[in-house]
Amino acid sequence: MNYKALSSALLVVLSTGLSANVTANEKPFSIAIHGGAGTISKANLTAEQQKAYREKLQEAVDAGYDVLAKGGDSLVAIKTSINILENSPLFNAGVGAVYTFDGAHELDASIMDGKTMNAGAVAGVKHIKNPIDLAITVMEKSPHVMLSGQGAEEFALTQGYQLVPANHFDTDSRYQQLKSAKEKIQKAESNPDYQASIGSSSHHNYQQSALDYSEFDYKFGTVGAVALDQNGNLAAGTSTGGMTAKRFGRIGDSPVIGAGTYAENGVCAVSATGHGEYFIRYHVAGDICAKVKYQNKSIIQAADEVINQRLITAGGTGGVIAIDHRGNIATPFNTEGMYRATRKNNEPAQVMIWSDL
């Protein structure tokens, strides 16, 4: 199945009349959220599971939309939506966070305010119930952009946060994913070809032959939101439990400003989900906004070019939600599916999983 073609076709459909219902006297506002991209097979997702995902996405997008509809700030709308997703075991963020190789949880999050260009991020935290909240606090209450690990949690205590026990994030489904992932890793590492690549003196051969995590379907998850409020302020936020069976304190794109999260008033806001290493290397969120800002491309075209051309050519998989200063929304992805929902002023929400909704 040509997922790229289906995704691109959907973008064209969704872009038609994006601002048609916004009159001259109305101020556009809109929100988009995502709950991760990856191999989301219709055959493997039961009707009950699909219903649960759609209901939670609906709840989250409606909650953020209600903030905007009442004249609230885009940052508040994003926090409201992401908190709902972080508090659900359905998504790889907050309570649904995946396990590291050692059976722990390490969570990342970031936020960016398009009005001030200020940003905050946390990486590798283990006892923060809602990492997006701490990212906002880092942005608003510290002179820094990113704090990590124990230091981030020490800062949280100075700001009145209560740490939660590590087992707060435990779920059986994620533990089963860890067991499956470790079996695949151990099998791959016992392969003579893999061992030979480790012992090779050629750095190039090592890079090409060593264990390729992209072969395993346990790297996706992540939640995020982008919003435009009635004052024209854009914002973006992303939160994740990382990659199942990750080791050595690995950090992906979610807390990296410009890679997993970016926002600038008058341009666009982006939140990403996918194989983080590629999103970091290709500066995905920032690249999309740069195309809008400097090449005068629509948010639909810019996001599609990065996700379905540049990124996929490089071997990177995933997707983004993106919104421009007029409230137009793009949700391209180059995987089988991406949990997502959008809502614009005076319009009902759209809740989608696959290219055909």
Side-chain angles (χ1 to χ4, degrees):
M1 184 175 291
N2 189 336
Y3 301 120
K4 174 184 173 182
L6 285 173
S7 179
S8 298
L10 178 62
L11 288 174
V12 173
V13 172
L14 291 179
S15 67
T16 304
L18 279 170
S19 301
N21 294 332
V22 180
T23 68
N25 295 325
E26 292 179 321
K27 296 179 179 179
F29 63 93
S30 53
I31 184 169
I33 65 171
H34 71 74
T39 305
I40 306 169
S41 172
K42 290 184 179 181
N44 294 332
L45 197 65
T46 67
E48 291 76 14
Q49 289 172 323
Q50 183 179 154
K51 182 174 183 289
Y53 277 109
R54 290 186 183 277
E55 287 180 346
K56 189 57 64 174
L57 289 168
Q58 180 88 49
E59 177 188 349
V61 77
D62 283 347
Y65 174 87
D66 288 344
V67 171
L68 299 174
K70 295 174 183 176
D73 188 82
S74 55
L75 288 169
V76 177
I78 283 173
K79 175 188 179 324
T80 301
S81 291
I82 291 181
N83 280 167
I84 290 172
L85 300 177
E86 286 178 327
N87 293 337
S88 169
L90 294 173
F91 305 98
N92 177 21
V95 73
V98 298
Y99 287 80
T100 66
F101 191 87
D102 295 326
H105 304 280
E106 296 175 357
L107 295 80
D108 311 323
S110 65
I111 190 88
M112 188 165 185
D113 181 354
K115 179 181 179 180
T116 63
M117 300 296 288
N118 200 4
V122 294
V125 295
K126 300 179 179 180
H127 303 91
I128 303 298
K129 178 182 177 182
N130 294 107
I132 195 67
D133 292 7
L134 186 55
I136 294 171
T137 304
V138 170
M139 178 178 71
E140 297 179 341
K141 303 295 184 180
S142 85
H144 309 299
V145 170
M146 184 186 293
L147 300 180
S148 67
Q150 183 178 344
E153 295 184 348
E154 290 175 358
F155 170 74
L157 290 173
T158 70
Q159 300 299 311
Y161 281 75
Q162 292 187 342
L163 304 186
V164 297
N167 63 8
H168 170 81
F169 307 104
D170 289 355
T171 56
D172 182 66
S173 62
R174 297 301 188 192
Y175 183 68
Q176 296 305 318
Q177 288 178 2
L178 173 65
K179 290 173 62 177
S180 176
K182 290 180 74 170
E183 289 174 0
K184 292 178 181 178
I185 291 172
Q186 290 164 356
K187 181 178 180 180
E189 291 181 337
S190 65
N191 187 302
D193 292 338
Y194 172 77
Q195 294 298 330
S197 71
I198 297 298
S200 173
S201 60
S202 168
H203 176 74
H204 173 74
N205 287 341
Y206 171 81
Q207 291 295 328
Q208 296 298 317
S209 303
L211 183 61
D212 182 3
Y213 280 80
S214 66
E215 295 177 0
F216 306 138
D217 182 35
Y218 53 82
K219 59 184 174 296
F220 299 124
T222 308
V223 304
V226 293
L228 170 72
D229 64 32
Q230 295 188 52
N231 292 318
N233 295 319
L234 289 163
T238 312
S239 181
T240 187
M243 177 188 289
T244 299
K246 67 179 182 179
R247 287 184 274 190
F248 317 120
R250 177 264 185 188
I251 296 171
D253 65 303
S254 294
V256 179
I257 302 302
T261 303
Y262 195 79
E264 181 177 354
N265 272 17
V267 185
C268 73
V270 180
S271 173
T273 174
H275 195 165
E277 280 69 15
Y278 285 91
F279 282 72
I280 294 172
R281 292 169 188 153
Y282 288 85
H283 192 238
V284 166
D287 191 26
I288 291 171
C289 288
K291 286 178 178 291
V292 173
K293 183 175 183 178
Y294 299 114
Q295 297 180 359
N296 295 317
K297 292 184 176 178
S298 71
I299 193 65
I300 302 291
Q301 183 180 6
D304 186 59
E305 284 183 3
V306 173
I307 296 301
N308 284 318
Q309 295 180 38
R310 188 163 192 249
L311 191 65
I312 201 170
T313 299
T317 50
V320 299
I321 50 172
I323 187 170
D324 70 12
H325 68 290
R326 296 185 181 88
N328 299 321
I329 296 171
T331 63
F333 54 97
N334 59 35
T335 55
E336 187 168 357
M338 181 170 76
Y339 298 112
R340 63 207 190 279
T342 65
R343 191 169 180 189
K344 295 166 52 61
N345 49 327
N346 302 320
E347 295 181 10
Q350 286 189 305
V351 180
M352 300 160 280
I353 301 177
W354 299 284
S355 293
D356 56 356
L357 305 186

